[in-house]
Amino acid sequence: MKIITKRIIKFGLLGLLLFSPELFAHGERALEPFIRMRTIQWYDIQWSKNTVDVNQEIVLSGRFHVAEDWPNAMVKPDSAFLNLAIPTPVLVRTATYINGAILNNSMALKLGGDYDFKLVLKGRVPGRYHIHPMMNLRDIGVIVGPGMWIDVQGVAADFKNPVTTLAGETVDLETYGTANGILWHLVWLGIAALWLLWWLRRPMFIPRYKQTLAGDEDALITPLDRKIGGFGIIGTLVLITASFVHADQKYPESIPLQTGRAEIEPLPMKHDVAVKIKRATYRVVQRSLQLTMEVTNKSDKPVELGELNSATLRFFNPALQRFDSNYPKELAVENGLDVQPSSAISPGATATLTVKATDVAWHNQKLASITKDTDSNFGAMLFFYDNTGERYLASISAPVIPDFGTN
Amino acid sequence: MVSQSTAISRAAEIAKISRTFDFILLIPILLVIIGTYHLSMILTVGDWDFWLDWKDRQWWPIVTPLMGISFPAAIQYGLWKHLRLPIGATVCTVCLLLGMAITRWFAYHLWTNYPINLVLPATLIPGALLLDFVLLTSRSFFVTAILGGMLFAAVFYPANWAIFAPFHQPVEYNGSLMTLADVSGYSYIRPGVPEYLRIIERGVLRTYDTYATPLSAFCAAVLAVPLYALWSYIGKLFSTTRFIDKF
Ligand SMILES: [Cu+2]
């Protein structure tokens, strides 16, 4: 009984997985913290609007940094696909740009690179949805960016998805080829039904079984049956050939499915602020990441640390007033970053900073368990700003030591 | 006189009961085939049958018939051996199509919003008809394994081309060459099925360029023969009448 219950649960879960692609959509906190912190680091994520009509365009743009300290346990990102965590195709994708270039398929990513992306989408099914940018990484899983609520308005039936073929024909992908496909299914289903009825109209199980048992099975097949079988072989082959030739002549320019991997160079970025982590501790009771770091300013202007972003969770230094109020509330900690000393680092100078990123969000976003990971190096991005507002990025990682608050 | 008419009415009554029994048995059998054959196809062929942009020239025409010959071969054995009914393969593939039609319509289209053309199933019925016809004409499992098995796999791609050819028209999309099937797969976002997962057009058969499809069909045809034999044997094991014979 117990085994049966177990199997029902197992196959039930399997069924759920098979039939609900949206199940994958909200796995944003499913992967271990060290993977989310040290693979794809999302930033500057922006939606062109929060409300979109059916058939109208909406753009999701932003950037991601591919961490230098990519976890050793993970395969390198040779096959990555920029995707969306979305509950079913309520928006359709019309174009993907990476660093300004169009990309229709998967790509290889370079460690340490920064990439700019733009996803052009179109409203399709009305409703209110939580949607995230997402990176599918082969043999790793999905790294999900910050999610936003998007409203799609209008009538679903109005949606059109026109595409023009090289032959100049414009088709609507919503319905194109459906009637033809169903028609051919019905043709074969009809022939099969005739064949089945031919036999099922006669008595089936008991009389036939008895006669077979008695050794008189050959009498169950009439000469006419056999003739039909022979004609059936020829007829079926003729119909298959005819349908194939017909389709081949109707679509002479058919090509095989297209696939390929693209290689796109990362953005040229100068990393003028160098950061070396001296010590990192996570204070479990205070929910606070505390870093001691050596910062070298190689730019020609004084810089200050404005933000720490770890796995899309952002801590802002109140002194710089760079808080982003459009960012999801659960992922933004307005006064979460304490930087000592608070003075700017002069050009060419090296300073030692003590930085505390504190909030219960570490726990809520399931990042606090970094101290229990097999690879307990944490990862984050630091954003420094100079007095003209220019930004300097530094991607950091270091072993993090838990402090259980006994002292 | 009296006794004869009673005998006639009794025979008619038995025939009627036997016929009722036919349908009482038939319906659960069909439901079991729909459920199990369909599940086995989901677990083995999976994405190749679900998605339009996975139906390539190389893997799809190999994987689908080779996995799909299982139930047709097994059920065909039982129905022919014990009932002399040459309909086992057709029954299975019709059941499979019904099961697929239900899930594609409800789970993929109505529930998760994918357009029907993106999740159109392939048909195995033409091959199954040939399998049944060959068995009926040859009355031999050996001939059916060789000739029927080969035909079952070999006709898969040509028989489905009428359904899927329209989606192989070339499109210039965002500056690159794609088929309508590729565009559809790209447009309708599938969070759990990233593009790189598509196992299409990969492998040694590529070297043969335009002959990739016939070569795939040939490979499938050759492999279908031993698979037919294997499943036929499994059909033999399962279609034992040991339990019925006790009555
Ligand atoms: Cu979400």
Side-chain angles (χ1 to χ4, degrees):
Chain A
M1 198 59 217
K2 215 172 151 191
I3 293 172
I4 293 173
T5 325
K6 258 190 192 162
R7 285 206 180 142
I8 289 172
I9 292 169
K10 209 164 113 191
F11 279 100
L13 282 177
L14 187 72
L16 264 176
L17 271 170
L18 288 169
F19 295 126
S20 53
E22 74 268 32
L23 204 79
F24 293 91
H26 291 257
E28 53 244 55
R29 284 171 294 210
L31 284 177
E32 291 161 287
F34 78 97
I35 306 174
R36 285 153 57 209
M37 287 175 171
R38 279 166 46 210
T39 49
I40 304 298
Q41 302 177 324
W42 302 94
Y43 63 103
D44 289 355
I45 306 302
Q46 234 172 1
W47 286 89
S48 61
K49 47 190 151 188
N50 302 323
T51 305
V52 63
D53 290 339
V54 168
N55 284 321
Q56 201 186 35
E57 275 188 355
I58 179 170
V59 176
L60 170 62
S61 58
R63 284 185 173 195
F64 57 88
H65 179 82
V66 184
E68 285 84 348
D69 184 26
W70 192 272
N72 201 32
M74 303 291 123
V75 296
K76 295 292 175 277
D78 290 328
S79 287
F81 185 64
L82 180 63
N83 214 337
L84 281 181
I86 188 169
T88 79
V90 292
L91 299 172
V92 293
R93 170 166 44 201
T94 60
T96 308
Y97 296 85
I98 302 280
N99 294 348
I102 281 277
L103 181 78
N104 296 325
N105 39 32
S106 310
M107 62 176 168
L109 298 174
K110 284 223 168 87
L111 300 192
D114 283 88
Y115 296 85
D116 184 270
F117 73 89
K118 201 169 105 179
L119 282 165
V120 186
L121 308 155
K122 221 163 70 168
R124 179 166 175 251
V125 182
R128 186 172 159 76
Y129 312 104
H130 201 228
I131 304 175
H132 314 237
M134 173 173 107
M135 190 65 81
N136 291 90
L137 296 168
R138 173 168 223 138
D139 299 330
I140 296 179
V142 293
I143 307 295
V144 180
M148 292 280 216
W149 287 99
I150 302 296
D151 276 301
V152 181
Q153 294 179 338
V155 184
D158 291 344
F159 180 75
K160 296 250 176 325
N161 196 1
V163 175
T164 306
T165 67
L166 282 185
E169 188 192 354
T170 299
V171 302
D172 183 0
L173 277 186
E174 284 283 299
T175 52
Y176 174 73
T178 309
N180 172 69
I182 291 175
L183 181 73
W184 276 106
H185 273 300
L186 290 179
V187 166
W188 287 111
L189 202 59
I191 297 169
L194 287 177
W195 176 240
L196 295 182
L197 282 177
W198 178 255
W199 294 94
L200 297 186
R201 75 203 159 94
R202 305 174 204 180
M204 284 184 288
F205 297 109
I206 297 171
R208 294 188 80 93
Y209 179 62
K210 276 167 79 179
Q211 204 166 330
T212 315
L213 214 56
D216 192 19
E217 67 267 19
D218 284 342
L220 287 167
I221 308 279
T222 67
L224 179 61
D225 290 337
R226 223 164 265 144
K227 217 178 265 174
I228 290 176
F231 281 117
I233 297 177
I234 297 162
T236 309
L237 288 175
V238 166
L239 182 57
I240 292 170
T241 313
S243 74
F244 178 79
V245 171
H246 173 75
D248 215 43
Q249 283 172 349
K250 198 167 171 196
Y251 304 103
E253 309 300 344
S254 299
I255 57 166
L257 298 179
Q258 301 294 300
T259 175
R261 209 58 83 245
E263 190 93 42
I264 293 178
E265 282 303 304
L267 290 175
M269 300 260 285
K270 29 177 206 165
H271 294 281
D272 276 351
V273 177
V275 178
K276 221 186 265 169
I277 305 292
K278 289 289 172 196
R279 185 173 171 81
T281 51
Y282 181 74
R283 307 197 71 163
V284 177
V285 177
Q286 285 88 344
R287 281 157 180 157
S288 176
L289 179 73
Q290 314 211 337
L291 308 171
T292 311
M293 58 177 91
E294 213 173 76
V295 181
T296 306
N297 180 5
K298 295 186 233 166
S299 79
D300 52 6
K301 296 193 185 69
V303 298
E304 283 179 84
L305 176 59
E307 182 190 333
L308 179 146
N309 177 336
S310 181
T312 74
L313 178 58
R314 300 169 72 183
F315 296 86
F316 296 89
N317 181 354
L320 270 77
Q321 297 185 318
R322 296 220 156 244
F323 181 66
D324 176 1
S325 56
N326 290 323
Y327 200 70
K329 302 267 168 298
E330 68 277 14
L331 294 171
V333 188
E334 190 167 358
N335 300 317
L337 198 66
D338 176 65
V339 182
Q340 295 302 333
S342 58
S343 52
I345 305 162
S346 353
T350 297
T352 300
L353 299 184
T354 306
V355 175
K356 295 179 185 167
T358 313
D359 197 74
V360 67
W362 284 116
H363 171 80
N364 294 344
Q365 296 304 318
K366 298 204 167 71
L367 290 169
S369 56
I370 180 74
T371 56
K372 290 178 182 133
D373 274 354
T374 46
D375 178 347
S376 58
N377 271 29
F378 86 105
M381 273 187 299
L382 298 178
F383 296 97
F384 292 86
Y385 295 91
D386 65 21
N387 46 15
T388 65
E390 200 182 324
R391 187 172 66 178
Y392 304 83
L393 254 71
S395 179
I396 56 168
S397 82
V400 59
I401 314 294
D403 175 346
F404 298 106
T406 40
N407 48 346
Chain B
M1 262 332 260
V2 174
S3 66
Q4 200 186 350
S5 81
T6 325
I8 290 169
S9 72
R10 200 164 144 66
E13 204 177 314
I14 288 171
K16 206 178 145 197
I17 291 170
S18 154
R19 198 69 185 139
T20 317
F21 178 75
D22 279 352
F23 288 103
I24 289 174
L25 202 58
L26 190 65
I27 289 161
I29 286 177
L30 293 183
L31 288 176
V32 168
I33 296 177
I34 290 177
T36 49
Y37 188 20
H38 186 203
L39 183 67
S40 85
M41 289 299 271
I42 288 174
L43 295 178
T44 54
V45 183
D47 289 318
W48 275 292
D49 199 62
F50 294 148
W51 310 109
L52 192 60
D53 59 336
W54 279 65
K55 293 182 167 61
D56 70 333
R57 300 176 305 173
Q58 293 184 18
W59 289 98
W60 175 57
I62 292 182
V63 176
T64 321
L66 289 188
M67 294 297 129
I69 204 167
S70 57
F71 276 66
I75 303 281
Q76 196 184 37
Y77 181 91
L79 289 188
W80 180 256
K81 186 80 187 168
H82 299 294
L83 302 170
R84 269 296 180 273
L85 280 172
I87 55 171
T90 309
V91 167
C92 289
T93 50
V94 166
C95 284
L96 177 66
L97 187 65
L98 292 180
M100 281 174 169
I102 293 166
T103 41
R104 303 295 159 92
W105 180 259
F106 288 99
Y108 283 83
H109 183 59
L110 294 185
W111 186 17
T112 52
N113 292 316
Y114 290 97
I116 273 296
N117 54 12
L118 185 58
V119 293
L120 266 182
T123 182
L124 283 169
I125 291 176
L129 284 168
L130 286 169
L131 212 49
D132 281 339
F133 292 148
V134 169
L135 179 63
L136 170 62
T137 2
S138 68
R139 283 175 286 166
S140 147
F141 285 117
F142 183 72
V143 174
T144 310
I146 293 176
L147 186 63
M150 288 184 100
L151 281 174
F152 181 83
V155 302
F156 175 75
Y157 193 88
N160 277 283
W161 189 240
I163 302 174
F164 297 105
F167 303 104
H168 283 255
Q169 288 187 83
V171 179
E172 187 192 332
Y173 196 74
N174 295 333
S176 59
L177 183 68
M178 291 170 96
T179 65
L180 283 170
D182 295 315
V183 177
S184 184
Y186 169 79
S187 297
Y188 298 95
I189 300 162
R190 294 165 295 191
V193 191
E195 192 275 336
Y196 58 72
L197 276 191
R198 288 201 293 164
I199 302 168
I200 60 162
E201 302 287 341
R202 266 186 224 167
V204 287
L205 292 179
R206 267 233 84 105
T207 350
Y208 299 97
D209 191 37
T210 46
Y211 298 108
T213 316
L215 262 175
S216 291
F218 180 73
C219 276
V222 170
L223 289 169
V225 175
L227 277 174
Y228 178 90
L230 172 72
W231 282 103
S232 197
Y233 179 70
I234 293 171
K236 185 180 180 174
L237 295 182
F238 274 88
S239 69
T240 171
T241 51
R242 226 177 332 147
F243 308 107
I244 310 172
D245 292 345
K246 281 188 186 152
F247 291 105

